[in-house]
Amino acid sequence: MTDARIDAAKAAGLLAGLLEEWQVTPTGRTAAAFRSDETGDWWARHMEAVEWVGVIDEAMAEISGAEHAVRLWGQASASARRAIFRTQHGLDWSDPHGECREIDDSAITMIGTVGELLGARRATGGVALSQARAILGPVEDALREAENLATAIDLAGDERDHLLALIEHCRQVMKLASVDDINELRAYLERLIGALGLVDAGGERAEEKKGVVHRLISSTKDFMGSPQVANALAAGTLVLAITAG
C-alpha cells in the first residue's frame, strides 16, 4: 500500500503513470498476469490505484468546483475507475483474449494534468503561507494574554469556556493549512475581540482587559495588513486563475 500521507498531486501523477502502463492488455495475456508485479501479485497494485483515486476524490471535495483540476478529474475519474476494475470487459481477469484498450489517451493526459495543477497549487500557496505564519508572533502573544485573563477573572463557566474555545480555534487556524485559513483566522479573532469586550472583568482588571483587547485588535490589524498576508492572498488568487483553465 502507499504511504498514508501521500498528497493528491503525487497520487494523480502515480495514477496516470499506472494507467498508462495498463492502457492496453496485449493479445494472448490475461489481465491478471499482465498487471502483476515481479512477485506475481496483481491485487496490491489495484489496491494502490483505488487508494490514489480516493485521495484525489478527497482533494477535489475540498477545493472550488470552478477550478480546472476539478473539472478535469470529473471528466476522467469514471474512465479511471473503469480501467482499474475493467468493468467494460465484464471483469474478465483470467482468460486470454485479443488486445484490449482499457482507457483512452485523453483520460490519462487529464489525470496527469490534474497532478500538475494540484502540485502548482500546493507550491504557490505553500511558500506564501509559510511567510505569513512567520509573522504570527504578536497574535500568539495576544492570544496568550487573552487566555491568561479569561482564566484569572471571575466568570461563569460557560462564559469562560466560550472564550477559551475561541482562543483554541484561533490557535488551530493559525497553522494556516490553506489560504482560506487567513480569513477564517481574522473572523475568529474578531469574534474573540467582541466576546472579550463584553466581559465584566471587575474594577481591578478592567484596565488589563482593555489592554488585552487593544493588543488583539492591533496584532490582528498588523497581521492582516502585512505584505506577507497580501502575498498569500494574492497567491491564492493566482492559483485559482492558473487552475481555472
PDB file of all heavy atoms in Angstrom, residues 83-110:
ATOM      1  N   ALA A  83     -11.105   1.514 -15.945  1.00  0.00           N
ATOM      2  CA  ALA A  83      -9.854   0.871 -16.323  1.00  0.00           C
ATOM      3  C   ALA A  83      -9.279   0.043 -15.180  1.00  0.00           C
ATOM      4  O   ALA A  83      -8.735  -1.047 -15.405  1.00  0.00           O
ATOM      5  CB  ALA A  83      -8.838   1.931 -16.763  1.00  0.00           C
ATOM      6  N   ILE A  84      -9.385   0.548 -13.962  1.00  0.00           N
ATOM      7  CA  ILE A  84      -8.856  -0.196 -12.813  1.00  0.00           C
ATOM      8  C   ILE A  84      -9.588  -1.523 -12.652  1.00  0.00           C
ATOM      9  O   ILE A  84      -8.973  -2.583 -12.471  1.00  0.00           O
ATOM     10  CB  ILE A  84      -8.975   0.647 -11.530  1.00  0.00           C
ATOM     11  CG1 ILE A  84      -8.021   1.852 -11.597  1.00  0.00           C
ATOM     12  CG2 ILE A  84      -8.669  -0.194 -10.289  1.00  0.00           C
ATOM     13  CD1 ILE A  84      -8.259   2.893 -10.522  1.00  0.00           C
ATOM     14  N   PHE A  85     -10.913  -1.472 -12.735  1.00  0.00           N
ATOM     15  CA  PHE A  85     -11.710  -2.683 -12.475  1.00  0.00           C
ATOM     16  C   PHE A  85     -12.105  -3.431 -13.743  1.00  0.00           C
ATOM     17  O   PHE A  85     -12.726  -4.479 -13.662  1.00  0.00           O
ATOM     18  CB  PHE A  85     -12.962  -2.311 -11.677  1.00  0.00           C
ATOM     19  CG  PHE A  85     -12.658  -1.812 -10.292  1.00  0.00           C
ATOM     20  CD1 PHE A  85     -12.773  -0.470  -9.974  1.00  0.00           C
ATOM     21  CD2 PHE A  85     -12.226  -2.686  -9.314  1.00  0.00           C
ATOM     22  CE1 PHE A  85     -12.477  -0.008  -8.701  1.00  0.00           C
ATOM     23  CE2 PHE A  85     -11.925  -2.242  -8.031  1.00  0.00           C
ATOM     24  CZ  PHE A  85     -12.056  -0.898  -7.725  1.00  0.00           C
ATOM     25  N   ARG A  86     -11.755  -2.856 -14.914  1.00  0.00           N
ATOM     26  CA  ARG A  86     -12.025  -3.492 -16.204  1.00  0.00           C
ATOM     27  C   ARG A  86     -13.508  -3.790 -16.390  1.00  0.00           C
ATOM     28  O   ARG A  86     -13.891  -4.825 -16.929  1.00  0.00           O
ATOM     29  CB  ARG A  86     -11.197  -4.769 -16.375  1.00  0.00           C
ATOM     30  CG  ARG A  86      -9.713  -4.584 -16.185  1.00  0.00           C
ATOM     31  CD  ARG A  86      -8.901  -5.795 -16.613  1.00  0.00           C
ATOM     32  NE  ARG A  86      -8.847  -5.898 -18.069  1.00  0.00           N
ATOM     33  CZ  ARG A  86      -9.394  -6.894 -18.773  1.00  0.00           C
ATOM     34  NH1 ARG A  86     -10.076  -7.840 -18.147  1.00  0.00           N
ATOM     35  NH2 ARG A  86      -9.291  -6.922 -20.076  1.00  0.00           N
ATOM     36  N   THR A  87     -14.352  -2.899 -15.935  1.00  0.00           N
ATOM     37  CA  THR A  87     -15.798  -3.161 -15.999  1.00  0.00           C
ATOM     38  C   THR A  87     -16.311  -3.237 -17.435  1.00  0.00           C
ATOM     39  O   THR A  87     -17.316  -3.905 -17.696  1.00  0.00           O
ATOM     40  CB  THR A  87     -16.568  -2.061 -15.247  1.00  0.00           C
ATOM     41  OG1 THR A  87     -16.169  -0.779 -15.742  1.00  0.00           O
ATOM     42  CG2 THR A  87     -16.285  -2.128 -13.760  1.00  0.00           C
ATOM     43  N   GLN A  88     -15.616  -2.562 -18.372  1.00  0.00           N
ATOM     44  CA  GLN A  88     -16.076  -2.635 -19.748  1.00  0.00           C
ATOM     45  C   GLN A  88     -15.819  -3.998 -20.383  1.00  0.00           C
ATOM     46  O   GLN A  88     -16.334  -4.311 -21.453  1.00  0.00           O
ATOM     47  CB  GLN A  88     -15.418  -1.535 -20.606  1.00  0.00           C
ATOM     48  CG  GLN A  88     -13.916  -1.679 -20.800  1.00  0.00           C
ATOM     49  CD  GLN A  88     -13.128  -0.952 -19.750  1.00  0.00           C
ATOM     50  OE1 GLN A  88     -13.418  -1.088 -18.565  1.00  0.00           O
ATOM     51  NE2 GLN A  88     -12.145  -0.189 -20.165  1.00  0.00           N
ATOM     52  N   HIS A  89     -15.013  -4.838 -19.698  1.00  0.00           N
ATOM     53  CA  HIS A  89     -14.724  -6.184 -20.203  1.00  0.00           C
ATOM     54  C   HIS A  89     -15.358  -7.260 -19.323  1.00  0.00           C
ATOM     55  O   HIS A  89     -14.910  -8.407 -19.312  1.00  0.00           O
ATOM     56  CB  HIS A  89     -13.216  -6.399 -20.315  1.00  0.00           C
ATOM     57  CG  HIS A  89     -12.542  -5.427 -21.217  1.00  0.00           C
ATOM     58  ND1 HIS A  89     -12.888  -5.273 -22.532  1.00  0.00           N
ATOM     59  CD2 HIS A  89     -11.559  -4.513 -20.983  1.00  0.00           C
ATOM     60  CE1 HIS A  89     -12.148  -4.329 -23.093  1.00  0.00           C
ATOM     61  NE2 HIS A  89     -11.335  -3.845 -22.158  1.00  0.00           N
ATOM     62  N   GLY A  90     -16.351  -6.861 -18.563  1.00  0.00           N
ATOM     63  CA  GLY A  90     -17.082  -7.850 -17.768  1.00  0.00           C
ATOM     64  C   GLY A  90     -16.259  -8.481 -16.664  1.00  0.00           C
ATOM     65  O   GLY A  90     -16.481  -9.638 -16.300  1.00  0.00           O
ATOM     66  N   LEU A  91     -15.297  -7.724 -16.124  1.00  0.00           N
ATOM     67  CA  LEU A  91     -14.455  -8.211 -15.028  1.00  0.00           C
ATOM     68  C   LEU A  91     -13.745  -9.510 -15.382  1.00  0.00           C
ATOM     69  O   LEU A  91     -13.553 -10.395 -14.550  1.00  0.00           O
ATOM     70  CB  LEU A  91     -15.288  -8.404 -13.741  1.00  0.00           C
ATOM     71  CG  LEU A  91     -15.986  -7.147 -13.222  1.00  0.00           C
ATOM     72  CD1 LEU A  91     -16.833  -7.477 -11.994  1.00  0.00           C
ATOM     73  CD2 LEU A  91     -14.972  -6.066 -12.867  1.00  0.00           C
ATOM     74  N   ASP A  92     -13.353  -9.632 -16.652  1.00  0.00           N
ATOM     75  CA  ASP A  92     -12.651 -10.824 -17.120  1.00  0.00           C
ATOM     76  C   ASP A  92     -11.164 -10.668 -16.820  1.00  0.00           C
ATOM     77  O   ASP A  92     -10.472  -9.866 -17.440  1.00  0.00           O
ATOM     78  CB  ASP A  92     -12.884 -10.969 -18.631  1.00  0.00           C
ATOM     79  CG  ASP A  92     -12.111 -12.132 -19.223  1.00  0.00           C
ATOM     80  OD1 ASP A  92     -11.586 -12.930 -18.436  1.00  0.00           O
ATOM     81  OD2 ASP A  92     -12.036 -12.214 -20.461  1.00  0.00           O
ATOM     82  N   TRP A  93     -10.666 -11.439 -15.853  1.00  0.00           N
ATOM     83  CA  TRP A  93      -9.281 -11.308 -15.424  1.00  0.00           C
ATOM     84  C   TRP A  93      -8.419 -12.516 -15.798  1.00  0.00           C
ATOM     85  O   TRP A  93      -7.211 -12.394 -15.887  1.00  0.00           O
ATOM     86  CB  TRP A  93      -9.210 -11.153 -13.908  1.00  0.00           C
ATOM     87  CG  TRP A  93      -9.827  -9.883 -13.414  1.00  0.00           C
ATOM     88  CD1 TRP A  93     -11.112  -9.698 -13.004  1.00  0.00           C
ATOM     89  CD2 TRP A  93      -9.191  -8.617 -13.326  1.00  0.00           C
ATOM     90  NE1 TRP A  93     -11.316  -8.398 -12.647  1.00  0.00           N
ATOM     91  CE2 TRP A  93     -10.155  -7.702 -12.828  1.00  0.00           C
ATOM     92  CE3 TRP A  93      -7.899  -8.162 -13.599  1.00  0.00           C
ATOM     93  CZ2 TRP A  93      -9.857  -6.360 -12.605  1.00  0.00           C
ATOM     94  CZ3 TRP A  93      -7.607  -6.833 -13.379  1.00  0.00           C
ATOM     95  CH2 TRP A  93      -8.578  -5.941 -12.891  1.00  0.00           C
ATOM     96  N   SER A  94      -9.034 -13.657 -15.998  1.00  0.00           N
ATOM     97  CA  SER A  94      -8.253 -14.897 -16.067  1.00  0.00           C
ATOM     98  C   SER A  94      -8.203 -15.540 -17.439  1.00  0.00           C
ATOM     99  O   SER A  94      -7.478 -16.517 -17.630  1.00  0.00           O
ATOM    100  CB  SER A  94      -8.808 -15.920 -15.060  1.00  0.00           C
ATOM    101  OG  SER A  94     -10.177 -16.173 -15.316  1.00  0.00           O
ATOM    102  N   ASP A  95      -8.938 -15.022 -18.405  1.00  0.00           N
ATOM    103  CA  ASP A  95      -8.949 -15.632 -19.736  1.00  0.00           C
ATOM    104  C   ASP A  95      -8.133 -14.808 -20.714  1.00  0.00           C
ATOM    105  O   ASP A  95      -8.328 -13.592 -20.813  1.00  0.00           O
ATOM    106  CB  ASP A  95     -10.386 -15.751 -20.266  1.00  0.00           C
ATOM    107  CG  ASP A  95     -11.231 -16.717 -19.445  1.00  0.00           C
ATOM    108  OD1 ASP A  95     -10.645 -17.676 -18.900  1.00  0.00           O
ATOM    109  OD2 ASP A  95     -12.447 -16.487 -19.330  1.00  0.00           O
ATOM    110  N   PRO A  96      -7.225 -15.456 -21.462  1.00  0.00           N
ATOM    111  CA  PRO A  96      -6.508 -14.733 -22.518  1.00  0.00           C
ATOM    112  C   PRO A  96      -7.491 -14.293 -23.600  1.00  0.00           C
ATOM    113  O   PRO A  96      -8.465 -14.989 -23.886  1.00  0.00           O
ATOM    114  CB  PRO A  96      -5.525 -15.775 -23.060  1.00  0.00           C
ATOM    115  CG  PRO A  96      -5.467 -16.848 -22.022  1.00  0.00           C
ATOM    116  CD  PRO A  96      -6.803 -16.866 -21.361  1.00  0.00           C
ATOM    117  N   HIS A  97      -7.254 -13.149 -24.186  1.00  0.00           N
ATOM    118  CA  HIS A  97      -8.147 -12.672 -25.233  1.00  0.00           C
ATOM    119  C   HIS A  97      -7.366 -11.745 -26.147  1.00  0.00           C
ATOM    120  O   HIS A  97      -6.153 -11.524 -25.965  1.00  0.00           O
ATOM    121  CB  HIS A  97      -9.361 -11.951 -24.657  1.00  0.00           C
ATOM    122  CG  HIS A  97      -9.055 -11.033 -23.525  1.00  0.00           C
ATOM    123  ND1 HIS A  97      -8.206  -9.962 -23.632  1.00  0.00           N
ATOM    124  CD2 HIS A  97      -9.465 -11.052 -22.234  1.00  0.00           C
ATOM    125  CE1 HIS A  97      -8.119  -9.344 -22.462  1.00  0.00           C
ATOM    126  NE2 HIS A  97      -8.868  -9.985 -21.596  1.00  0.00           N
ATOM    127  N   GLY A  98      -8.053 -11.172 -27.110  1.00  0.00           N
ATOM    128  CA  GLY A  98      -7.408 -10.239 -28.009  1.00  0.00           C
ATOM    129  C   GLY A  98      -7.043  -8.943 -27.297  1.00  0.00           C
ATOM    130  O   GLY A  98      -7.418  -8.711 -26.147  1.00  0.00           O
ATOM    131  N   GLU A  99      -6.289  -8.112 -27.997  1.00  0.00           N
ATOM    132  CA  GLU A  99      -5.843  -6.855 -27.413  1.00  0.00           C
ATOM    133  C   GLU A  99      -7.022  -6.037 -26.911  1.00  0.00           C
ATOM    134  O   GLU A  99      -8.021  -5.883 -27.611  1.00  0.00           O
ATOM    135  CB  GLU A  99      -5.064  -6.059 -28.464  1.00  0.00           C
ATOM    136  CG  GLU A  99      -4.549  -4.730 -27.961  1.00  0.00           C
ATOM    137  CD  GLU A  99      -3.758  -4.004 -29.021  1.00  0.00           C
ATOM    138  OE1 GLU A  99      -2.617  -4.436 -29.301  1.00  0.00           O
ATOM    139  OE2 GLU A  99      -4.286  -3.024 -29.576  1.00  0.00           O
ATOM    140  N   CYS A 100      -6.909  -5.503 -25.693  1.00  0.00           N
ATOM    141  CA  CYS A 100      -7.979  -4.701 -25.090  1.00  0.00           C
ATOM    142  C   CYS A 100      -7.426  -3.348 -24.675  1.00  0.00           C
ATOM    143  O   CYS A 100      -6.448  -3.280 -23.916  1.00  0.00           O
ATOM    144  CB  CYS A 100      -8.560  -5.400 -23.864  1.00  0.00           C
ATOM    145  SG  CYS A 100      -9.513  -6.875 -24.219  1.00  0.00           S
ATOM    146  N   ARG A 101      -8.043  -2.288 -25.165  1.00  0.00           N
ATOM    147  CA  ARG A 101      -7.683  -0.936 -24.728  1.00  0.00           C
ATOM    148  C   ARG A 101      -8.545  -0.603 -23.520  1.00  0.00           C
ATOM    149  O   ARG A 101      -9.769  -0.553 -23.605  1.00  0.00           O
ATOM    150  CB  ARG A 101      -7.895   0.071 -25.850  1.00  0.00           C
ATOM    151  CG  ARG A 101      -7.576   1.507 -25.455  1.00  0.00           C
ATOM    152  CD  ARG A 101      -7.530   2.412 -26.667  1.00  0.00           C
ATOM    153  NE  ARG A 101      -6.367   2.122 -27.499  1.00  0.00           N
ATOM    154  CZ  ARG A 101      -5.166   2.672 -27.323  1.00  0.00           C
ATOM    155  NH1 ARG A 101      -4.977   3.567 -26.341  1.00  0.00           N
ATOM    156  NH2 ARG A 101      -4.156   2.361 -28.097  1.00  0.00           N
ATOM    157  N   GLU A 102      -7.890  -0.352 -22.403  1.00  0.00           N
ATOM    158  CA  GLU A 102      -8.607  -0.155 -21.143  1.00  0.00           C
ATOM    159  C   GLU A 102      -9.025   1.295 -20.912  1.00  0.00           C
ATOM    160  O   GLU A 102     -10.015   1.564 -20.230  1.00  0.00           O
ATOM    161  CB  GLU A 102      -7.737  -0.616 -19.969  1.00  0.00           C
ATOM    162  CG  GLU A 102      -7.102  -1.987 -20.132  1.00  0.00           C
ATOM    163  CD  GLU A 102      -8.105  -3.128 -20.034  1.00  0.00           C
ATOM    164  OE1 GLU A 102      -9.290  -2.871 -19.761  1.00  0.00           O
ATOM    165  OE2 GLU A 102      -7.692  -4.287 -20.239  1.00  0.00           O
ATOM    166  N   ILE A 103      -8.251   2.251 -21.452  1.00  0.00           N
ATOM    167  CA  ILE A 103      -8.526   3.667 -21.208  1.00  0.00           C
ATOM    168  C   ILE A 103      -7.923   4.492 -22.336  1.00  0.00           C
ATOM    169  O   ILE A 103      -6.877   4.132 -22.885  1.00  0.00           O
ATOM    170  CB  ILE A 103      -7.957   4.110 -19.834  1.00  0.00           C
ATOM    171  CG1 ILE A 103      -8.386   5.544 -19.481  1.00  0.00           C
ATOM    172  CG2 ILE A 103      -6.457   3.925 -19.763  1.00  0.00           C
ATOM    173  CD1 ILE A 103      -8.062   5.922 -18.042  1.00  0.00           C
ATOM    174  N   ASP A 104      -8.575   5.580 -22.705  1.00  0.00           N
ATOM    175  CA  ASP A 104      -8.094   6.428 -23.791  1.00  0.00           C
ATOM    176  C   ASP A 104      -6.926   7.307 -23.341  1.00  0.00           C
ATOM    177  O   ASP A 104      -6.787   7.631 -22.151  1.00  0.00           O
ATOM    178  CB  ASP A 104      -9.222   7.335 -24.297  1.00  0.00           C
ATOM    179  CG  ASP A 104     -10.312   6.562 -25.007  1.00  0.00           C
ATOM    180  OD1 ASP A 104     -10.030   5.447 -25.498  1.00  0.00           O
ATOM    181  OD2 ASP A 104     -11.456   7.073 -25.055  1.00  0.00           O
ATOM    182  N   ASP A 105      -6.133   7.727 -24.330  1.00  0.00           N
ATOM    183  CA  ASP A 105      -5.016   8.622 -24.042  1.00  0.00           C
ATOM    184  C   ASP A 105      -5.491   9.910 -23.372  1.00  0.00           C
ATOM    185  O   ASP A 105      -4.833  10.430 -22.474  1.00  0.00           O
ATOM    186  CB  ASP A 105      -4.296   8.997 -25.347  1.00  0.00           C
ATOM    187  CG  ASP A 105      -3.522   7.838 -25.952  1.00  0.00           C
ATOM    188  OD1 ASP A 105      -3.165   6.912 -25.210  1.00  0.00           O
ATOM    189  OD2 ASP A 105      -3.285   7.858 -27.175  1.00  0.00           O
ATOM    190  N   SER A 106      -6.624  10.429 -23.821  1.00  0.00           N
ATOM    191  CA  SER A 106      -7.097  11.722 -23.316  1.00  0.00           C
ATOM    192  C   SER A 106      -7.365  11.674 -21.813  1.00  0.00           C
ATOM    193  O   SER A 106      -7.055  12.634 -21.089  1.00  0.00           O
ATOM    194  CB  SER A 106      -8.359  12.157 -24.061  1.00  0.00           C
ATOM    195  OG  SER A 106      -9.400  11.202 -23.894  1.00  0.00           O
ATOM    196  N   ALA A 107      -7.933  10.576 -21.333  1.00  0.00           N
ATOM    197  CA  ALA A 107      -8.220  10.466 -19.902  1.00  0.00           C
ATOM    198  C   ALA A 107      -6.928  10.408 -19.088  1.00  0.00           C
ATOM    199  O   ALA A 107      -6.812  11.037 -18.026  1.00  0.00           O
ATOM    200  CB  ALA A 107      -9.074   9.232 -19.628  1.00  0.00           C
ATOM    201  N   ILE A 108      -5.938   9.681 -19.584  1.00  0.00           N
ATOM    202  CA  ILE A 108      -4.652   9.603 -18.886  1.00  0.00           C
ATOM    203  C   ILE A 108      -4.003  10.985 -18.837  1.00  0.00           C
ATOM    204  O   ILE A 108      -3.467  11.405 -17.801  1.00  0.00           O
ATOM    205  CB  ILE A 108      -3.724   8.591 -19.578  1.00  0.00           C
ATOM    206  CG1 ILE A 108      -4.296   7.171 -19.456  1.00  0.00           C
ATOM    207  CG2 ILE A 108      -2.321   8.643 -18.965  1.00  0.00           C
ATOM    208  CD1 ILE A 108      -3.520   6.126 -20.233  1.00  0.00           C
ATOM    209  N   THR A 109      -4.059  11.698 -19.967  1.00  0.00           N
ATOM    210  CA  THR A 109      -3.485  13.038 -20.017  1.00  0.00           C
ATOM    211  C   THR A 109      -4.173  13.963 -19.017  1.00  0.00           C
ATOM    212  O   THR A 109      -3.516  14.758 -18.321  1.00  0.00           O
ATOM    213  CB  THR A 109      -3.606  13.613 -21.436  1.00  0.00           C
ATOM    214  OG1 THR A 109      -2.886  12.779 -22.343  1.00  0.00           O
ATOM    215  CG2 THR A 109      -3.056  15.032 -21.499  1.00  0.00           C
ATOM    216  N   MET A 110      -5.501  13.879 -18.935  1.00  0.00           N
ATOM    217  CA  MET A 110      -6.231  14.730 -17.999  1.00  0.00           C
ATOM    218  C   MET A 110      -5.834  14.436 -16.556  1.00  0.00           C
ATOM    219  O   MET A 110      -5.661  15.358 -15.757  1.00  0.00           O
ATOM    220  CB  MET A 110      -7.740  14.543 -18.191  1.00  0.00           C
ATOM    221  CG  MET A 110      -8.289  15.273 -19.394  1.00  0.00           C
ATOM    222  SD  MET A 110     -10.102  15.291 -19.458  1.00  0.00           S
ATOM    223  CE  MET A 110     -10.413  13.663 -20.132  1.00  0.00           C
TER     224      MET A 110
END
